[in-house]
Every structure is written in structure tokens, then in C-alpha cells.
Amino acid sequence: MRSTRPRGAAASAARKSASTEEASAPVHSTARIIEAAVQLFATHGYASSTLEEVAAKAGFTKGAVYYYFKSKERLLLDVVAAIEQRSIDATIEAVRRDGGTPSAQLVNFVRHQTRWAAKHPKDLAIVVLLSIETANTKSKVRTRMLGMYAKISSLLEEIIDAGKAAGEFCLDQETKDTALYLQAVHDGNMMIWYRSGTDPEIGRKLTRATYSGFLHAVKDE
């Protein structure tokens, strides 16, 4: 028998169901969804993951995920924002809080980035994958990713200029060129570590190599 339900009633019911779920869910619902998205995006990539899969992994309906994030891109932007906060923002805050000589600040930068990667290796996978997936695009995610790296560049340039002013670092190299090189060392070593299967011993060796590479790059040796 053909349903006599008014047109649009099904959609209205879905919205009501999502709203009811939202109202009864704990306050950490969005955090659960973001964490589920991190797990999926890191292992399958953003393009190959669906909101249905994210919802199932987080223990929600697809309607509830839409209620919170409205779109898959919005969810991804929130994932990137979470990664940025616990990676870049936390590192910048720690370096500025702890202070010390410019050399000590560079070492502190490496230390905190290494700790972030060790604690959240899937964050690192997402950063790498998105750097590839969004290359040569004009997406909001690409803009956000470039903003993350701009923060790193700004911090490194600030430290390098302070080291030059203090007579601690070599004056012969352009600050921006040196900062770009340090980023290359940092990203390359992170990639090698992830490719190793996040082997702890490889991680320790690469951390020592990064410390040495950073200081060698900025000092007149």
C-alpha cells in the first residue's frame, strides 16, 4: 500500500531524531565525532571516508553528525583545527612560555613537536595526506593548512632573528631561507619516522638528528 505520509515528513522526522539525539548526548559528543574522523581520515584518507563511517565509529547516526557539522568539509575543518591546537598552538605556547636562549627555543620546538607526533601519530598522517590531497586547490582546508605552516614559519623566523641579534646565530643566511630549511628537516624526519611504522628507536634517532640539524643550520660552524 502506498504511504499516505505527507511529503517531507521523513526528512522532518530525521531532523527531529538528530535533534533529540543531540539533546540527550553528552557534551563531549563533538569531540567523539572528531576523534572518530581522525581515526578514519588517517587510515583511509579524507576522500575515501564517508560520514556514515564516521558516525558508526563514533556511535552516532549520520543525522546527528550532520546536526553538529552540517557537511563533511566542515567536519574536516574542525579536525584540522583540533590538530592545529594540540600541535602548532601548543608548541608555540610552550616555546614562548619556557623562553631561554634562541638555541634552547629551537630545541624546545623540536621536543614539543616530537612529543605531539608520538602521542598523536594519526594527526601526523592526516597532515601529510592533506598536504598531498589539497595541493594546487583553493579549498578552505588548503587555506587552513597553509595557515598552520605559516604559524610554524613565523615562530622559527622569530627565533632565528633573535639568535642573530644576540650574536648566537650566523648572520650570513637569510632568515626566511633558514626557516624554510628547518621546516624541511622537521617534516622530512617526521615522514621517515611515520614510514618506519612509528618505531620508537627510529624516533629517538631522528629526534637527535633534528636537534643537531637545527643547531648546525643556524650557527656559524
Side-chain angles (χ1 to χ4, degrees):
M1 178 181 295
R2 185 176 179 179
S3 172
T4 58
R5 195 173 201 179
R7 180 176 293 182
S12 177
R15 287 194 296 271
K16 182 177 180 181
S17 175
S19 179
T20 301
E21 185 172 356
E22 184 278 336
S24 61
V27 293
H28 61 279
S29 296
T30 55
R32 283 171 53 195
I33 294 171
I34 288 173
E35 181 55 31
V38 167
Q39 300 294 319
L40 285 169
F41 295 168
T43 54
H44 301 301
Y46 169 71
S48 298
S49 300
T50 67
L51 285 182
E52 289 91 342
E53 291 172 328
V54 173
K57 193 169 188 64
F60 288 92
T61 64
K62 181 181 177 182
V65 175
Y66 269 117
Y67 181 90
Y68 285 115
F69 297 99
K70 310 307 179 188
S71 70
K72 185 180 172 185
E73 183 185 53
R74 181 67 260 172
L75 173 57
L76 178 59
L77 285 167
D78 280 18
V79 166
V80 173
I83 293 173
E84 182 175 355
Q85 192 284 321
R86 61 185 171 234
S87 169
I88 309 305
D89 293 346
T91 295
I92 292 172
E93 179 183 355
V95 169
R96 289 180 173 159
R97 179 192 65 232
D98 297 342
T101 66
S103 292
Q105 291 179 47
L106 284 181
V107 169
N108 207 14
F109 170 86
V110 174
R111 180 183 298 116
H112 282 280
Q113 282 288 282
T114 300
R115 288 175 179 172
W116 155 68
K119 187 175 182 180
H120 302 284
K122 286 184 170 57
D123 284 4
L124 179 58
I126 289 174
V127 170
V128 172
L129 290 172
L130 287 180
S131 294
I132 297 170
E133 288 185 12
T134 65
N136 302 314
T137 70
K138 295 181 180 180
S139 67
K140 293 178 181 178
V141 177
R142 174 68 171 172
T143 300
R144 189 66 188 251
M145 292 289 294
L146 292 175
M148 286 175 59
Y149 276 96
K151 285 185 178 181
I152 295 177
S153 296
S154 180
L155 176 64
L156 292 175
E157 289 171 16
E158 178 184 316
I159 295 172
I160 293 166
D161 281 339
K164 287 181 175 181
E168 189 176 340
F169 295 165
C170 177
L171 299 175
D172 295 340
Q173 303 175 57
E174 290 291 335
T175 294
K176 288 186 178 296
D177 292 347
T178 304
L180 183 61
Y181 172 76
L182 296 184
Q183 278 189 266
V185 172
H186 168 269
D187 285 9
N189 285 350
M190 286 285 193
M191 185 62 200
I192 292 171
W193 172 72
Y194 194 82
R195 193 167 61 224
S196 77
T198 66
D199 184 298
E201 182 57 30
I202 296 295
R204 284 188 285 272
K205 290 180 179 179
L206 287 169
T207 298
R208 291 194 295 269
T210 305
Y211 287 150
S212 177
F214 269 37
L215 297 179
H216 180 77
V218 297
K219 293 190 175 183
D220 189 10
E221 296 177 350

